[in-house]
Amino acid sequence: MTPSSASTAQASNNDFYAAHDKLYVATDCIIFGFDDGDLKLLIFKRRVEPDSGIWSLIGSFVKIDEDVDEAARRVLKEITGLEEIYLEQSKTYGKAERDPGYRCISVAHYALMRINDHDRELTQSHGAFWYTLQELPQLALDHQDMVRDALDKLRRRARYQPIGFELLPEKFTIPQLQKLYESIYQRELDPRNFRKKVLSLKVLVKLDEKDKSGSKRGAYLYRFDSEKYQELLESGYNFEI
Amino acid sequence: MTPSSASTAQASNNDFYAAHDKLYVATDCIIFGFDDGDLKLLIFKRRVEPDSGIWSLIGSFVKIDEDVDEAARRVLKEITGLEEIYLEQSKTYGKAERDPGYRCISVAHYALMRINDHDRELTQSHGAFWYTLQELPQLALDHQDMVRDALDKLRRRARYQPIGFELLPEKFTIPQLQKLYESIYQRELDPRNFRKKVLSLKVLVKLDEKDKSGSKRGAYLYRFDSEKYQELLESGYNFEI
DNA sequence: ACAAAAGTGTTAGTTATACACCCATGC
DNA sequence: GCATGGGTGTATAACTAACACTTTTGT
């Protein structure tokens, strides 16, 4: 915080804090996954009022002694069993009336995960399911806005930082990578130009292995070389897709 | 919020809220201005503990019935007397230990203003002063991080949205606009290429007036045509500098 | 043999960069 | 008349976008 409002600056320090309001602070997670050629969101059926029974994002209150991003990681672990998930703060939703139950602000975070990695039974036991953006049902409260804003941020960021790889398995083919970007940006890309571009970035390592799940002929697998990426960054390189 | 943590979802609704913690929520403003060819920040000397006497950003606690961005606008009005200021949310700072005085999270906002517009006496009566980024003293708490992050966001946004004009007077010259971008990006730009680029965007209107403050010859004044900009946006145009 | 996806190169258009001189004016 | 900043054009390089056919293999 910054207890520095000019109008209260003269108050003694104890009064200064005591004279102010405390609010509930929550975090909600927009969890993106990629599977079957589609970008998906993990959502679940809300079990508390208001909007009980409505689909919603996964969230939790922030505890008094807990970092806000720690709260988001706690939620992610509870629902997916995973600890090492890519997590970014998205935006804070602070309208006084946003939650009719109580005054509560929410710091939204978006997470990127490999769908196969996580414990499907765990998510299902929480009533959580993966939905494509197209199939997404109406969501509780202002969660629709949260999804829209997070998607917007994901799109911007994916263009300049190699975060797409967080959504793919360690080993992936160029056509899979292309499908990922197509589903993030919801438009088709030219396979020749796409391949040329990503390979020109010099951060993909071609493996001696093929993935035959997508075609009879099979496609070569690649992996993202994060050491190489770090090196290049230090010598003033710009990732851009 | 989203009271949807799986572990607490079974509790009755009253218990559900009551069992959680409330926190102080503040907002801090990174106020950018442009004057004398330099990008500046409005900061002031803190008058409460912790860090009393240290330079800091301007902030305030969010009231229980107040939108978070409303709190930021309230602070801006108190300190500058202005109501119509460009304001964007920057980022939320939620480390448990960020303020040694009390558990408090802060939703930082950045504001862009025309320095001449505002009441200089009002800001001075609050002990607030404009500093260039180079001259900036050490700031209280995590305000240094807030400045760095806000500047980062400003840089990204200024490239793709015409927000630079919020920092200039209504009428400005091309060399002034160039100096603004140079001070945002901290690098020199070629005057011929710069002029070509901004004029090609088709959103500047040349006026029949010259500004002679910068040179004997004087430079033509322009204004930003926001109607034209809106029109162009709707026909799929991309502003980019 | 054929269907289905993987893989490959070239060209044209657009955009970015680099660069040097004349202009108008106040002193 | 000279110092100061304002204003203009061109050539090259880099990048983007459009586009069609051959390869491999399972059935």
Side-chain angles (χ1 to χ4, degrees):
Chain A
M1 64 106 215
T2 299
S4 43
S5 160
S7 58
T8 53
Q10 276 73 21
S12 88
N13 216 44
N14 279 353
D15 290 356
F16 174 68
Y17 277 98
H20 292 92
D21 302 320
K22 288 185 172 188
L23 277 56
Y24 288 116
V25 176
T27 179
D28 286 295
C29 294
I30 299 97
I31 306 177
F32 291 103
F34 180 70
D35 189 27
D36 203 17
D38 265 314
L39 191 63
K40 297 185 179 175
L41 275 178
L42 190 63
I43 57 174
F44 85 135
K45 270 226 168 78
R46 215 172 135 85
R47 289 187 249 183
V48 294
E49 292 302 332
D51 283 354
S52 181
I54 307 289
W55 289 97
S56 87
L57 297 171
I58 284 124
S60 173
F61 286 107
V62 175
K63 297 177 185 172
I64 192 89
D65 58 353
E66 184 182 49
D67 297 349
V68 172
D69 65 316
E70 210 181 302
R73 285 186 201 284
R74 172 169 53 77
V75 171
L76 284 173
K77 171 140 192 230
E78 272 173 18
I79 207 94
T80 67
L82 297 176
E83 306 211 30
E84 302 278 313
I85 294 187
Y86 179 92
L87 183 69
E88 277 296 324
Q89 190 183 116
S90 170
K91 192 184 156 183
T92 296
Y93 296 78
K95 286 269 169 241
E97 304 302 333
R98 61 174 289 281
D99 184 333
Y102 223 100
R103 178 66 205 270
C104 178
I105 74 163
S106 177
V107 185
H109 289 77
Y110 64 92
L112 306 182
M113 55 180 293
R114 306 180 168 96
I115 290 191
N116 294 324
D117 277 8
H118 84 282
D119 183 341
R120 282 175 189 266
E121 286 185 22
L122 187 55
T123 59
Q124 291 204 5
S125 77
H126 290 119
F129 295 93
W130 290 100
Y131 278 87
T132 64
L133 296 172
Q134 288 75 28
E135 302 162 346
L136 208 64
Q138 279 296 115
L139 299 178
L141 304 175
D142 50 5
H143 290 191
Q144 212 80 260
D145 297 336
M146 292 184 180
V147 169
R148 186 200 53 222
D149 295 341
L151 189 56
D152 205 68
K153 286 189 195 264
L154 171 62
R155 284 180 175 148
R156 282 176 204 278
R157 179 159 288 229
R159 219 156 138 51
Y160 301 106
Q161 287 192 247
I163 58 175
F165 306 106
E166 304 288 338
L167 290 159
L168 290 174
E170 285 285 320
K171 302 173 182 178
F172 52 85
T173 67
I174 305 287
Q176 279 165 10
L177 185 62
Q178 181 179 341
K179 282 215 183 73
L180 170 63
Y181 279 93
E182 288 180 335
S183 76
I184 291 176
Y185 295 106
Q186 299 280 313
R187 70 187 184 94
E188 301 209 336
L189 302 171
D190 181 277
R192 288 158 292 191
N193 293 339
F194 182 80
R195 181 180 293 265
K196 209 185 313 169
K197 185 106 148 255
V198 297
L199 292 178
S200 77
L201 295 172
K202 304 285 179 207
V203 290
L204 296 189
V205 180
K206 187 175 185 175
L207 305 176
D208 258 342
E209 233 177 308
K210 283 190 167 189
D211 171 80
K212 297 228 171 189
S213 65
S215 70
K216 291 155 188 167
R217 177 177 173 180
Y220 278 104
L221 287 163
Y222 289 77
R223 66 175 181 82
F224 174 67
D225 185 342
S226 54
E227 286 79 20
K228 185 80 174 291
Y229 173 66
Q230 287 305 331
E231 268 177 46
L232 288 169
L233 266 192
E234 280 156 29
S235 42
Y237 149 100
N238 257 0
F239 180 92
E240 183 180 337
I241 266 181
Chain B
M1 67 104 216
T2 298
S4 44
S5 158
S7 59
T8 53
Q10 277 74 21
S12 91
N13 217 44
N14 280 353
D15 291 355
F16 175 67
Y17 277 98
H20 292 93
D21 301 320
K22 287 185 172 188
L23 279 54
Y24 289 117
V25 176
T27 179
D28 286 296
C29 294
I30 299 96
I31 307 177
F32 291 103
F34 180 69
D35 189 27
D36 201 17
D38 264 314
L39 191 63
K40 297 186 179 175
L41 275 177
L42 190 63
I43 57 174
F44 85 133
K45 270 228 169 75
R46 216 173 134 85
R47 288 187 250 184
V48 294
E49 292 300 333
D51 283 355
S52 180
I54 307 288
W55 289 96
S56 87
L57 296 172
I58 284 124
S60 173
F61 286 108
V62 175
K63 298 178 183 170
I64 192 89
D65 59 352
E66 183 182 49
D67 296 348
V68 172
D69 65 316
E70 210 182 302
R73 288 188 198 282
R74 172 168 53 75
V75 171
L76 285 174
K77 172 141 193 231
E78 272 172 18
I79 206 95
T80 67
L82 297 176
E83 305 210 33
E84 301 278 313
I85 294 187
Y86 179 91
L87 184 70
E88 277 297 321
Q89 190 183 117
S90 170
K91 193 183 155 182
T92 295
Y93 296 79
K95 285 270 170 238
E97 304 302 333
R98 60 175 290 280
D99 184 334
Y102 224 101
R103 178 64 205 271
C104 178
I105 74 163
S106 177
V107 185
H109 288 77
Y110 64 91
L112 306 182
M113 54 180 293
R114 305 179 170 96
I115 290 189
N116 294 325
D117 277 6
H118 83 284
D119 183 341
R120 280 174 190 269
E121 286 186 23
L122 188 55
T123 59
Q124 290 203 6
S125 77
H126 290 118
F129 295 93
W130 290 100
Y131 278 87
T132 65
L133 297 172
Q134 288 75 30
E135 302 162 346
L136 208 64
Q138 279 295 117
L139 299 178
L141 304 176
D142 50 4
H143 290 191
Q144 213 79 261
D145 297 336
M146 292 184 180
V147 169
R148 186 200 54 222
D149 296 340
L151 188 56
D152 204 69
K153 285 187 198 266
L154 171 62
R155 284 180 174 147
R156 282 175 205 278
R157 180 159 287 230
R159 218 157 140 50
Y160 301 107
Q161 287 191 245
I163 59 174
F165 306 107
E166 305 288 337
L167 290 160
L168 291 174
E170 284 286 321
K171 301 173 183 179
F172 52 85
T173 68
I174 305 287
Q176 279 165 11
L177 185 63
Q178 182 179 339
K179 282 216 185 69
L180 170 64
Y181 279 93
E182 288 180 334
S183 77
I184 291 175
Y185 294 107
Q186 300 279 311
R187 70 187 184 95
E188 302 209 334
L189 301 171
D190 181 280
R192 289 157 290 191
N193 293 338
F194 183 80
R195 180 179 293 266
K196 209 185 313 169
K197 184 105 148 254
V198 297
L199 292 178
S200 77
L201 295 173
K202 305 284 179 208
V203 290
L204 296 189
V205 180
K206 187 175 185 173
L207 305 176
D208 258 342
E209 231 177 308
K210 283 192 167 188
D211 171 79
K212 297 226 172 191
S213 66
S215 70
K216 291 153 189 171
R217 176 178 175 179
Y220 279 104
L221 287 163
Y222 288 77
R223 64 175 183 81
F224 174 66
D225 185 343
S226 56
E227 286 79 17
K228 185 80 176 292
Y229 174 66
Q230 287 304 331
E231 267 177 45
L232 287 169
L233 266 192
E234 279 155 29
S235 42
Y237 150 100
N238 257 2
F239 180 93
E240 184 180 336
I241 266 183

